[in-house]
Amino acid sequence: MSERRMLVNIETWGPGLDAYVDEVIAELAPALARHGADGGATGAGGLAGGPNASFGILSPPGETLADVVARAVACLEAACAELGIRHEGIALVEVQDPRYWDLELAREPDRYLGVTEIAELLGVSRQRVMQLRQRADFPEPVAELAAGPVWRMFNLQRFIEEWPRKPGRPRKLESA
């Protein structure tokens, strides 16, 4: 078994983008490289408000995920200390094996459907889709836009597979 290049993303807590000088943040990637990271991309002011970095780090055979995380955080901390960059603590650490990233990239993207697309998929009218929407087993849309409701195909799959489709028009009720 050989070394693996693990992909790391770290965000830190901080006061926001305006608190950091662009030139200093730009120097964070070379500083990370001096401390063992490679391919670093850096920024500041993300969701947590502090400096952030995405980079690769080599993991020798047998190294645990906890060890990779510890080394990655130590690498960022050393690079920040070298440049005098302050933050308010680690907010997020993500570590991915490149094989996982390959699977993620190969995955089919989410597919979204409106009433027209669902009608075409089921072979019914738009009006029938609106009737089906009243059923308890029909999934809720992920959003209600001005153009109409929107569903994820993933959420509709079970309904489509289990819908007891009956051919023809429903019979009219006889008047009493």
Side-chain angles (χ1 to χ4, degrees):
M1 195 145 108
S2 61
E3 284 186 317
R4 294 179 301 169
R5 181 176 181 266
M6 303 298 278
L7 307 174
V8 179
N9 180 43
I10 301 176
E11 290 191 34
T12 64
W13 295 108
L17 181 60
D18 295 337
Y20 301 98
V21 178
D22 289 343
E23 292 77 24
V24 175
I25 293 298
E27 288 300 313
L28 188 53
L32 284 165
R34 290 190 291 275
H35 293 279
D38 66 70
T42 59
L47 188 59
N52 54 68
S54 295
F55 54 90
I57 192 165
L58 290 177
S59 174
E63 184 176 45
T64 68
L65 186 58
D67 292 338
V68 173
V69 169
R71 282 193 316 108
V73 169
C75 181
L76 178 67
E77 295 287 16
C80 285
E82 176 184 320
L83 299 173
I85 297 174
R86 297 179 186 266
H87 61 78
E88 299 165 13
I90 302 296
L92 168 79
V93 178
E94 295 176 321
V95 178
Q96 293 181 357
D97 184 304
R99 295 172 297 175
Y100 182 84
W101 186 245
D102 291 341
L103 291 172
E104 184 73 28
L105 290 174
R107 188 173 72 165
E108 186 175 323
D110 281 342
R111 185 171 157 208
Y112 293 89
L113 298 94
V115 173
T116 300
E117 292 82 10
I118 295 171
E120 289 172 4
L121 184 68
L122 295 176
V124 299
S125 68
R126 290 174 42 87
Q127 292 80 6
R128 181 67 177 134
V129 171
M130 296 310 281
Q131 289 172 345
L132 291 171
R133 186 177 176 194
Q134 303 307 311
R135 293 173 52 120
D137 60 342
F138 198 85
E140 290 294 318
V142 293
E144 292 276 353
L145 307 176
V150 177
W151 290 264
R152 283 181 57 217
M153 180 63 182
F154 176 81
N155 295 346
L156 287 165
Q157 201 64 45
R158 176 179 275 156
F159 176 83
I160 292 167
E161 291 169 2
E162 296 176 359
W163 179 42
R165 174 95 192 241
K166 296 176 187 161
R169 293 180 156 274
R171 284 187 272 182
K172 291 186 178 182
L173 297 175
E174 293 185 29
S175 352

